[in-house]
Amino acid sequence: MTILVTGATGVVGRNVVARLVAAGESVRVLSRRPATGLPPSVEVVAGDLLEPRDEWFAGVDRLYLFPAGDGAVARRAVRCGVRRIVDLSAASVTIGLYENPVEAAVEASGAEWTHVRPGGFMTNLLPAWAPSIRARRVVRHPFPDEAGVPVHEADVAAVAVAALLEDGHAGRAYTLTGPELITNRDQVAAIAAALGEEVRFEVVSREVAREEMRALGGFAADHADLLLGFVNYGGGESSGEGFSDDDYSALLKPWPDVETVLGRPARSYARWARDHLADFR
C-alpha cells in the first residue's frame, strides 16, 4: 500500500518523505506545483488540498496531512479507503490558544488519527538570520533574551513517521518541543560554535528588524509581524514583548513527547545548527 504525503515541499514534509523512502515505503506526494528535490522513487501528483480528488487516494491507506482549509480532505480520504491519518498541527492547540479545524475534521473522519503538535521550530528565524550571517557574521534582532524551547524539524518528522508506520499512536496528540529552554542570544552562540567563527548579536528595535525582514521577502517578510511580536498567534495585536507572556508560559518548558515516541531525547539547538551549516556558510 501507498502513503500519501501532503505539504511535502515544506520543512517537515520533506523530512517525512525522506524517512518513509528510507524505510522502504511506497510514497505518493501531492503538490500544487512541480516538486523538486524529492527522491526519484516518489510518485508526484498535482493538486490542491482545498480541492480534493478521489484519484489521489487510489491504493493509499495512510495519509500525512498538512493543515489546510477545514480538513474536508480527511473525509474524502476515508471514503476512498484511507485508514490512518497523521496531521500536522500546533502546540498552541494543546494550551488552548487555538482551535484547529483540521484536527476536528480528522477526528470526525472515522480514521485512526494522531495529531502532531510542534511548538516553535528551530528553523523559524533561519530565513531572517541566515543572509546576514552569511554576509556579515551578524544577527540583528530586538529580543536577545527571549527564550523558547524550539524543536528540530527532523524530530517532528520522525514522530509523524512513527505514528504513520507503527501501531499504538491512534487517538494521541503529541506536543513537541526541543530539550531545553534557550535564548535567542544562545541560539546565535550555537550557530557561531557550529561555524567555528564569531557571530555578533546586534540589538535593534522591532521596527528596524521588521523593515529588514520585509526586505528579504519570502517567509521572513510574510511572518515578520508574528516573529517580532507585533501580532499574536491568532493575528490580533500583541503586547510587543515577544512570546514570553503568560499565554505562552506552558510552552516555555520542554515537553517529553519526542522522547516518549522515539525513545531518545529531542535534538538540541546545537545539533540543529550543525545540521544547517550550509545555510550559514
Side-chain angles (χ1 to χ4, degrees):
M1 298 294 285
T2 297
I3 299 173
L4 178 63
V5 178
T6 64
T9 59
V11 65
V12 176
R14 285 188 181 274
N15 279 273
V16 169
V17 170
R19 287 179 172 275
L20 290 174
V21 169
E25 299 294 330
S26 173
V27 179
R28 181 178 301 156
V29 163
L30 176 70
S31 178
R32 287 181 296 175
R33 46 192 174 271
T36 59
L38 295 171
S41 63
V42 170
E43 176 191 1
V44 180
V45 296
D48 189 322
L49 273 175
L50 301 182
E51 300 175 357
R53 302 174 65 90
D54 289 354
E55 54 263 36
W56 299 348
F57 305 107
V60 170
D61 67 339
R62 301 182 186 195
L63 168 65
Y64 170 77
L65 182 58
F66 183 82
D70 61 1
V73 67
R75 296 186 291 274
R76 177 73 66 96
V78 171
R79 288 200 301 270
C80 293
V82 171
R83 299 183 295 107
R84 179 177 296 179
I85 300 176
V86 176
D87 63 276
L88 182 65
S89 187
S92 55
V93 179
T94 300
I95 63 174
L97 291 181
Y98 175 58
E99 292 185 5
N100 187 348
V102 175
E103 281 197 10
V106 168
E107 291 184 18
S109 70
E112 294 181 3
W113 57 264
T114 306
H115 304 316
V116 177
R117 296 173 175 172
F121 286 99
M122 292 176 181
T123 57
N124 279 353
L125 287 166
L126 176 64
W129 289 359
S132 63
I133 292 176
R134 287 194 301 267
R136 302 185 303 278
R137 291 294 188 263
V138 65
V139 165
R140 289 163 55 82
H141 194 76
F143 304 124
D145 300 317
E146 179 185 73
V149 195
V151 63
H152 197 308
E153 67 276 7
D155 280 342
V156 181
V159 170
V161 168
L164 284 166
L165 300 184
E166 302 170 0
D167 293 331
H169 301 287
R172 302 291 300 273
Y174 294 122
T175 300
L176 309 181
T177 70
E180 60 186 345
L181 188 70
I182 183 170
T183 66
N184 288 330
R185 192 186 298 277
D186 286 340
Q187 290 179 32
V188 174
I191 295 168
L195 284 167
E197 301 178 37
E198 180 185 4
V199 179
R200 293 178 293 111
F201 195 115
E202 292 183 1
V203 179
V204 297
S205 69
R206 289 193 304 150
E207 290 74 19
V208 167
R210 178 167 62 178
E211 181 179 347
E212 293 179 354
M213 288 173 68
R214 286 177 172 175
L216 292 171
F219 180 94
D222 292 343
H223 294 83
D225 283 357
L226 177 62
L227 292 172
L228 295 172
F230 286 96
V231 299
N232 58 32
Y233 191 87
E237 185 176 352
S238 177
S239 65
E241 298 301 323
F243 296 105
S244 301
D245 56 33
D246 291 342
D247 286 344
Y248 289 87
S249 61
L251 295 181
L252 297 178
K253 65 178 182 180
W255 285 64
D257 289 1
V258 170
E259 187 164 5
T260 297
V261 175
L262 303 179
R264 60 156 177 81
R267 291 171 170 88
S268 67
Y269 194 92
R271 165 68 183 275
W272 177 87
R274 294 193 297 272
D275 290 343
H276 284 269
L277 267 179
D279 293 308
F280 302 115
R281 289 202 186 283

